[in-house]
Amino acid sequence: MTAELVRGQNHPLSQARLEIRVSADKPIVAGAALSDEHGKVHGAEWVAHPGTPTLPGLEVSRQAAADHRLAVDLGAMPEAVHRISVLLALPTGVAGPVRFGGLAAPFVAVTGLDGSEVASYTITGLEAESAVVALELYRRQGAWKVRAVGQGYAGGLAELLADQGMPEAHTLAGSINEAVVQGLARSVPAPPRTTDGDRTRQTAAPAPGPDQGGTAAQGAVQPPTSPYGAQGPGRPTSPYGAQGAQQGSTDPSAATQPSTPTAGGPVDYSHPSRQTTAPPPPPPTAPPGQPGQPQQPVAGDATGWSMDERLYNQVWGMFEDLARSMAAYRSAVDFAESRMEKELDQVLSDPRSRIGGQGDAAREAARAKHAQLVDQAQAVLDRDLAQLAAEADVVEPALPPAYARWDNPVWHGYRVPMEIPMALRLGDLHLPEAPQVSIPMLVRLPLERGLWIDSGRAGTIDGSYTDSHEVKRLAMDTAVAVAARLLAVYPAREFTVHVIDPAGSGGQALVPLVQSGVLAAPPAVGAAGVTDVLARLTQRVDLVQMAVRGGAPDALPPGFDTAEQLLIVNDFPHGFDDRAVTQLRYLADEGPAVGVHLMMVADREEASGYGPLLDPLWRSLMRLTPVPDDHLADPWVGHAWTYEPSLVPTGSQVLQQVLQRVAEARTKYT
């Protein structure tokens, strides 16, 4: 169980390698200060921050973001270090809030490498403060503990660091703020290649092959050092939730040497850096192209034991490729802008060249160089996007039902599967610079966390959906589409769906589930229905937990439904009393481990009357939106991914047909 700390409370740490996860309402700066047994920070080299993100046994984020993951290896800490203070601050010099009192309470959690929470702390009571010591890890009699601190400072980072006993605190605070403002993290070249399973993807700005008439990229950056060693715990906060290689900081000096782009030449679809040696059965080989033309992309061009696994790895690799390509492009544009500003500053600093023909020529030369660098970066990005678009055009039609959109013809030949697939499609992801390249958003099965379909009015990109009733209708349509997809990809009678609709407002959207007969029971209405369903599911979680802990999983009562369970909750918190809210939190925390999953269709503002009591509930769920929204952040490369739900096309009967076949299979295998 997670220890939910309050200010001043401590908790023992049994693991040496940990992650500290930070969540905030707006982008903030996260860092850490090392101090001795007296609590003193001896200098700037004892502070990890975006400008210097790595220290022995410690690694922090390289930019301001709403979500952070700090890597800590207590076993690698120097003997002189007795305390690690986690520091949070609002960035200065940029548009944004100037005090924590204007934001939702920041949340900090200490987790193991497997993502399991050891302790968490919600930092409440902040008002005028712009910097805060969130928590501290400290050494006591040879053992490490974590303590919730929550000490805020209205004077910002400078006051915080000075209170830590650090000399020249104002100088270091200024350098940290400057690093954040200048976007040092975004100016770093794309991360080096990573390996997902057995498949290695090419980097975002790969060295062009012989058929592209290019040479090796300049300014290649070596993989940084991580306190986790070669095998990191995983990529921070990816929209996929998949495990990638943990990477740390790079040398800031490398930011001035972007990869040299190459223009022209045909697109090479052969993926020279990709491993295509797979376990049996072998992956398909790309058909040869015409003489002088590159090979064409094929579906399943990745490693794996089955076609489903190869397609999953290929989709995940496409996601990584798009992220790195865009990171490389943004890095090159930032470099071009910083170079032009530097050259213009040099012109203005010399009084002799400020006016006259010499100054005008220097300005034009700087702007021309900037345009040339941006055009080169755009050419490389266009080349990569063309390659990814061609690959997506081939992969999308070949996807199985679990990965496919609802308009994919594969659904017309749908049959109830005999085994659970690797993953499930929840929607699509794309970036603002490349809306034409859409990557399926796949999550692994069984679900490891619940889902929250946000029915609030906020969160629409173009503002086209401002009617709250329309957004709520779309939210229920999204929930039904996800539930139907889950029912369709599980074998017959191995997935059960329950619905709580206290006011009956979701009746129209629930018609396909009700009429097909795939629900465990009619949707529960009223306070009595809420109480009955929650009581049965919480009792189920208790029984399975006791059986597993007692080493007797086969000793469950006769007739016990061993299928995975999904509870859809609409119109929360209508019809929920305090006991029901507690049961809901219990299901969200303990349910996924024993096969009970939660899907909330709710507006967080409507439940604001419960205050911070429900904050852990919202954080435990994966937030999805019924309309396109850029709420999925990838802080590692600085992207805000636009999520688009996977809805059934208007007028299509594919959902009803699929549910009918699911119902028929259930009758057959009764």
Side-chain angles (χ1 to χ4, degrees):
M1 294 291 292
T2 303
E4 297 185 9
L5 306 179
V6 297
R7 181 173 298 180
Q9 186 178 1
N10 60 40
H11 186 75
L13 298 174
S14 59
Q15 304 178 50
R17 291 185 173 183
L18 302 166
E19 276 191 351
I20 299 176
R21 304 186 180 187
V22 180
S23 299
D25 193 27
K26 297 290 183 181
I28 61 174
V29 182
L34 308 180
S35 53
D36 59 18
E37 56 185 349
H38 303 294
K40 181 178 181 181
V41 180
H42 288 271
E45 66 278 6
W46 283 49
V47 180
H49 55 83
T52 307
T54 56
L55 294 177
L58 180 63
E59 185 174 18
V60 304
S61 303
R62 294 173 291 174
Q63 61 181 335
D67 296 285
H68 294 270
R69 289 193 182 184
L70 285 65
V72 179
D73 187 352
L74 299 176
M77 284 293 160
E79 290 295 328
V81 174
H82 286 257
R83 184 181 302 171
I84 306 167
S85 300
V86 178
L87 319 177
L88 307 179
L90 295 173
T92 60
V94 296
V98 296
R99 62 187 187 91
F100 277 108
L103 306 178
F107 174 76
V108 186
V110 180
T111 72
L113 298 188
D114 58 354
S116 59
E117 286 191 5
V118 179
S120 64
Y121 174 42
T122 302
I123 311 173
T124 58
L126 298 178
E127 291 295 340
E129 295 87 346
S130 59
V132 60
V133 178
L135 51 78
E136 63 182 14
L137 281 61
Y138 62 98
R139 197 194 319 244
R140 182 68 53 83
Q141 297 179 349
W144 285 90
K145 295 183 178 182
V146 58
R147 176 188 290 121
V149 180
Q151 177 62 53
Y153 297 86
L157 269 177
E159 182 181 352
L160 184 153
L161 294 171
D163 192 48
Q164 296 277 321
M166 191 197 140
E168 301 181 356
H170 286 77
T171 302
L172 178 58
S175 65
I176 294 174
N177 290 326
E178 182 180 358
V180 174
V181 172
Q182 293 181 353
L184 290 181
R186 271 188 66 193
S187 298
V188 181
R193 68 188 66 173
T194 61
T195 301
D196 181 62
D198 294 329
R199 176 191 186 204
T200 302
R201 297 289 301 191
Q202 63 186 35
T203 57
D211 60 338
Q212 294 171 297
T215 58
Q218 302 294 322
V221 180
Q222 296 298 323
T225 302
S226 166
Y228 292 100
Q231 300 296 327
R235 175 186 301 274
T237 319
S238 164
Y240 271 80
Q243 296 298 314
Q246 174 78 18
Q247 301 160 19
S249 65
T250 53
D251 184 356
S253 63
T256 61
Q257 297 293 334
S259 300
T260 302
T262 58
V267 178
D268 182 8
Y269 290 110
S270 61
H271 295 284
S273 299
R274 177 186 297 171
Q275 293 180 352
T276 55
T277 302
T285 56
Q290 299 296 326
Q293 297 295 324
Q295 291 179 323
Q296 297 300 312
V298 295
D301 184 17
T303 59
W305 290 92
S306 65
M307 177 57 78
D308 283 3
E309 184 178 359
R310 292 199 292 268
L311 286 170
Y312 173 84
N313 288 335
Q314 186 171 16
V315 170
W316 170 239
M318 292 166 60
F319 170 80
E320 284 190 320
D321 282 350
L322 180 57
R324 294 197 190 96
S325 294
M326 200 58 64
Y329 169 75
R330 293 178 179 177
S331 172
V333 172
D334 284 349
F335 170 76
E337 292 176 353
S338 63
R339 175 171 178 166
M340 181 179 67
E341 292 176 358
K342 181 179 179 181
E343 292 177 350
L344 292 177
D345 289 342
Q346 290 177 347
V347 172
L348 295 175
S349 64
D350 188 354
R352 296 171 298 179
S353 60
R354 290 181 184 174
I355 57 176
Q358 182 180 358
D360 294 339
R363 294 185 186 92
E364 288 299 324
R367 295 189 180 98
K369 185 62 177 178
H370 171 269
Q372 179 186 5
L373 292 174
V374 172
D375 290 343
Q376 289 177 341
Q378 186 66 52
V380 173
L381 178 64
D382 291 342
R383 180 200 66 193
D384 292 344
L385 293 181
Q387 177 173 330
L388 285 169
E391 188 172 11
D393 290 342
V394 173
V395 170
E396 189 68 46
L399 295 176
Y403 305 169
R405 289 196 294 253
W406 284 109
D407 58 359
N408 193 311
V410 71
W411 286 107
H412 296 291
Y414 165 77
R415 293 183 179 180
V416 176
M418 300 301 294
E419 59 182 16
I420 303 173
M422 285 188 60
L424 183 82
R425 185 174 191 156
L426 292 181
D428 295 273
L429 300 171
H430 63 81
L431 292 170
E433 293 93 339
Q436 73 277 18
V437 179
S438 183
I439 308 296
M441 178 180 172
L442 306 181
V443 295
R444 295 296 294 266
L445 291 179
L447 296 174
E448 297 180 355
R449 57 190 299 198
L451 303 176
W452 165 30
I453 314 297
D454 192 352
S455 60
R457 294 177 58 182
T460 58
I461 296 178
D462 56 5
S464 58
Y465 293 96
T466 56
D467 181 20
S468 60
H469 296 289
E470 177 69 8
V471 174
K472 289 182 178 180
R473 183 189 66 80
L474 290 172
M476 274 304 297
D477 289 343
T478 303
V480 170
V482 173
R485 186 182 289 268
L486 283 164
L487 285 165
V489 303
Y490 271 79
R493 309 196 70 83
E494 291 193 18
F495 198 85
T496 303
V497 177
H498 308 264
V499 177
I500 291 179
D501 188 19
S505 60
Q508 185 63 35
L510 292 170
V511 166
L513 296 177
V514 174
Q515 289 186 346
S516 61
V518 295
L519 294 179
V525 296
V530 171
T531 302
D532 178 62
V533 174
L534 291 179
R536 286 190 284 110
L537 289 178
T538 52
Q539 182 184 33
R540 185 186 192 281
V541 173
D542 291 338
L543 287 174
V544 176
Q545 283 185 338
M546 287 189 293
V548 172
R549 292 171 181 171
D554 297 331
L556 293 169
F560 186 85
D561 184 9
T562 59
E564 298 275 316
Q565 309 286 313
L566 174 68
L567 173 60
I568 303 176
V569 178
N570 185 34
D571 263 354
F572 178 81
H574 180 81
F576 283 76
D577 54 18
D578 291 343
R579 177 179 174 80
V581 170
T582 302
Q583 290 175 320
L584 202 63
R585 282 192 55 185
Y586 178 71
L587 292 178
D589 294 338
E590 304 295 333
V594 293
V596 178
H597 310 285
L598 183 63
M599 183 190 299
M600 299 277 292
V601 183
D603 181 1
R604 187 170 183 173
E605 292 184 0
E606 293 182 357
S608 59
Y610 286 93
L613 175 66
L614 290 180
D615 285 346
L617 173 63
W618 304 121
R619 283 193 299 268
S620 67
L621 305 176
M622 177 186 293
R623 176 175 176 252
L624 303 177
T625 55
V627 294
D629 182 53
D630 57 353
H631 67 281
L632 291 175
D634 186 352
W636 199 246
V637 288
H639 299 331
W641 290 86
T642 298
Y643 166 79
E644 188 169 351
S646 180
L647 296 175
V648 180
T650 303
S652 174
Q653 296 297 313
V654 63
L655 185 119
Q656 289 83 348
Q657 295 171 4
V658 169
L659 290 177
Q660 187 62 37
R661 293 178 186 176
V662 171
E664 293 172 356
R666 290 188 166 198
T667 303
K668 179 180 178 181
Y669 291 100
T670 299

